[in-house]
Structure formats: C-alpha cells, structure tokens
Amino acid sequence: AFGRSKHRKKTLSEQEELDLDSHQLKTLAEDAYVSFLRAYAVHSKETKHIFHPKRLHLGHVARAFGLREQPTGITKVNSERQQERKRIAKARQGQRDFVKKAKLSQGALEFK
C-alpha cells in the first residue's frame, strides 16, 4: 500500500508539471475549478447535508483540477476575467446601439 501512494504522488506531480506548462490548459482548469465550486454551492436543500460547501477542502479540490495556486488567487483571477468579459459585452452592446440609432436616423431621413 505504501508503494502505491508514493507512486501516486509522483504521478500527480508529473501530471501537474505537464498540465500547467500550458497557459491555456491552466486557464481552463481555473475556470473549471470556479465552476465546480459554484455548482457545488447550489445543491438543493435535500442534498445540502451531503454536499455542504463549508466542509469542502478547497485545496484538495484545486489539486484535483491540477492547480497548485491558492483558491483565493484563482477566484480573483476569474473575477478579473468576468469583469473583462462584461466590459467587452458592454462595448459590443454600445456598438449595436449605435448602429441601431444610425439605421433609425437614416430611415427617418429617407421617410421625410
């Protein structure tokens, strides 16, 4: 039994090094980690006693996703990404509104 757990730790370490070399893969792992935590937190009342978020060891969960960083740092990065996505969505909405107003004003000019 001891030999297997030692081998398992070595395999996890090697896997973490390989996986985290890729920035894109790391980003996906961070997003998956945060998504998992959010999904875990919204279980129904009937299953809350089984899936209790405060009993979840965040370090173990992060490690399961191949992450070595502290979970708080990851959620900060994710919230920064969300803010960036919102900023981009707002800018795109502004562009759509501008185009819509331009088309309306052009239609009003043609109607006169």
Side-chain angles (χ1 to χ4, degrees):
F2 178 76
R4 265 191 259 160
S5 75
K6 187 176 181 181
H7 177 70
R8 183 176 166 263
K9 286 181 182 179
K10 183 179 179 185
T11 304
L12 273 176
S13 295
E14 291 172 355
Q15 184 65 36
E16 285 174 352
E17 284 183 26
L18 289 173
D19 290 348
L20 294 178
D21 285 340
S22 167
H23 178 70
Q24 185 179 14
L25 192 57
K26 183 178 177 186
T27 301
L28 290 172
E30 290 170 353
D31 289 345
Y33 169 81
V34 172
S35 295
F36 172 82
L37 292 180
R38 287 183 181 152
Y40 196 91
V42 295
H43 278 282
S44 66
K45 287 183 181 181
E46 293 82 22
T47 59
K48 247 334 182 197
H49 68 284
I50 299 169
F51 301 104
H52 197 278
K54 290 189 179 184
R55 294 186 193 139
L56 192 62
H57 192 289
L58 299 179
H60 293 167
V61 173
R63 186 140 173 127
F65 284 97
L67 301 170
R68 289 179 272 173
E69 298 178 26
Q70 293 293 321
T72 54
I74 293 170
T75 54
K76 180 183 175 197
V77 167
N78 197 327
S79 69
E80 289 171 359
R81 280 194 201 120
Q82 283 181 334
Q83 288 174 353
E84 180 66 15
R85 287 182 193 136
K86 285 181 182 179
R87 186 189 65 74
I88 291 170
K90 190 175 181 180
R92 286 182 180 155
Q93 184 61 44
Q95 289 173 344
R96 284 191 290 265
D97 291 344
F98 177 78
V99 169
K100 189 184 289 185
K101 287 179 184 176
K103 286 181 180 179
L104 286 174
S105 65
Q106 184 181 15
L109 290 175
E110 290 174 2
F111 185 68
K112 289 181 180 181

